[in-house]
Amino acid sequence: MLDIPLRVRVHVETPPAAQNDMGVCDAFEQNAPVGKPDAMNAPHPPKVAGIDSTVPSPAQTVPPAPLAPGTPPVTAPSTPAAPGPVLQDRLAGWVSDLTTLHELTERLARTDTLPEALEELLRAGSALVGARRGLVVLEPADGRGPDTTVGLGLGRADLGHIETVPRGALSYGRILDGLPGGDSEIAQPDLFAEDGLDPRHREVAARLGYAASYALPLHSETAGRLGAAVWLYDEPAEPGERARHLAGLYTRCATEHLARLLEVERTRADMATLREELLPSRLPRVAGVQLAARHRTGPLGGGDWYDALPLPDAALGLAVGSVTGSGPSAVAAMGRLRASLRAYAVMEGEDPVAVLSDLELLLRLTEPARSATALFAYCEPALNKITLAGAGHCPPLLIGERRTEFVETSVSAPLGMLACWEAPGVEFQAEAGETVLLYTDGLLHRTGDATDRAFARLHSAAAGVPRALRDDPDAVVDHVLRTMLPDGLDAADSPEDVVLLAARFE
């Protein structure tokens, strides 16, 4: 048996539990072999924010050569001092600033509309620059609008007073008009100490009680200049360098968010204009009939529509319908369908089945991938007689003093669903003072109820119209709309359009 001397020294002074609590580097230093240089076992200065500030000494592989006689000793360079409280305070300040900006931008990102975003911009900027009041003027440079002014701590009258000051004398006016110095921040730490301050500006500032202002442009690289934001101080003051830096960073982020919301706002406005142009601008006046209509649409724009047009022989044509889908394509299809129905109604309106048959053939030939529901009624006011036909549409509701009931119509498929559509027409008599209510299924869907329960709610709402309001079709449709969709649900954004068309026979 060979006698092999042991040359491994094991440290047993450090318990395993203590080693588990140490880092990898600390464990190696604690268990380093005896005889190594002391620098390997020297304690490390504390680490700051994950940065190891220790500069390790170069390893001595050979002993230093002896100095020649008369040679002065070489002094080793001093070891850099460990980071002190100043660096720690600076790092803590950066972390605090980043946290503040993150919280403010998160709040801004949760805004869905342009007015909400403008108000949040003013509140956040007020906290950053230390001002109590302010205003933001939205005036896109491309001239497409919308132009608006929103105030913080300023009422309509206060904003009106500020607007009486010549535009070039205001800081935001210089920014919006591109005057010299208007391409960056404009600080006015003491308005009343400025030479050449416009007299009207001095008068308004004294009246509203502000003595200093700080303005920033709202400029986006993609959208260009959108407007300007101004914060007002009650006493002579101006934000410090750190506050200006944070306000500038936040404003640049806010401007990009405003640019996106601005495009959404413009798209909604264009869609609303398009829908208004495709729907009747006003209802016709026909002897013996009073008309009223309501149209509510969602943010994407839907395909629900209505129409009322005079026909030969003192007749009146009433129509409601809905095209599948939403957005610009559905709105365009709705316009084509409505225009086609008007033409067919003029030619053969006394036969509603023929009108819808022609409409179904046109839809199947020109837009085979789309379907639609429709209801057309041919009214003879002199006789209070109504003939109608429906294609997959909800039945009309007859509202009178002695009855409130749905008109029985035959069950039929929507247009474009079958190879050939045809359904029998329905003829009924409306008594004097009764109102015929046509509507789209969006009124039922917006309630969130099952179909049978939604129909029951509609019948109850129509039956509950007060007697004093039954002679006014506008009051009737408003009452039904508020009862079916309370708490502003009729005006809330929804993917479902709502159309009501009422005709009261005298």
Side-chain angles (χ1 to χ4, degrees), residues 195-328:
D195 296 333
L197 183 66
D198 185 270
R200 179 57 183 167
H201 192 185
R202 185 186 303 273
E203 179 183 347
V204 170
R207 178 168 187 160
L208 299 183
Y210 67 88
S213 67
Y214 179 68
L216 284 173
L218 302 178
H219 185 274
S220 169
E221 294 295 335
T222 56
R225 191 203 70 223
L226 300 182
V230 187
W231 290 274
L232 307 176
Y233 297 88
D234 297 340
E235 302 292 339
E238 63 178 323
E241 180 180 357
R242 180 179 176 185
R244 292 188 182 195
H245 179 66
L246 292 178
L249 292 175
Y250 176 79
T251 304
R252 284 195 290 272
C253 176
T255 304
E256 295 294 337
H257 184 64
L258 290 175
R260 291 189 290 269
L261 292 180
L262 182 63
E263 287 302 317
V264 174
E265 191 79 12
R266 287 173 172 176
T267 302
R268 289 182 176 180
D270 293 342
M271 290 295 299
T273 302
L274 178 61
R275 287 192 300 270
E276 291 172 1
E277 292 298 325
L278 291 176
L279 293 175
S281 58
R282 61 182 182 85
L283 296 173
R285 293 180 178 273
V286 178
V289 180
Q290 293 178 307
L291 299 175
R294 296 294 182 270
H295 184 210
R296 302 289 187 268
T297 186
L300 299 179
D304 287 16
W305 52 276
Y306 68 95
D307 204 354
L309 67 157
L311 296 176
D313 301 327
L316 173 69
L318 301 177
V320 292
S322 177
V323 177
T324 56
S326 61

Side-chain angles (χ1 to χ4, degrees), residues 107-132:
R107 285 167 47 184
L108 179 68
R110 287 194 291 267
T111 57
D112 298 327
T113 63
L114 198 57
E116 291 177 354
L118 294 175
E119 293 176 359
E120 180 59 33
L121 166 64
L122 282 176
R123 285 194 294 267
S126 175
L128 290 174
V129 303
R132 187 173 60 90

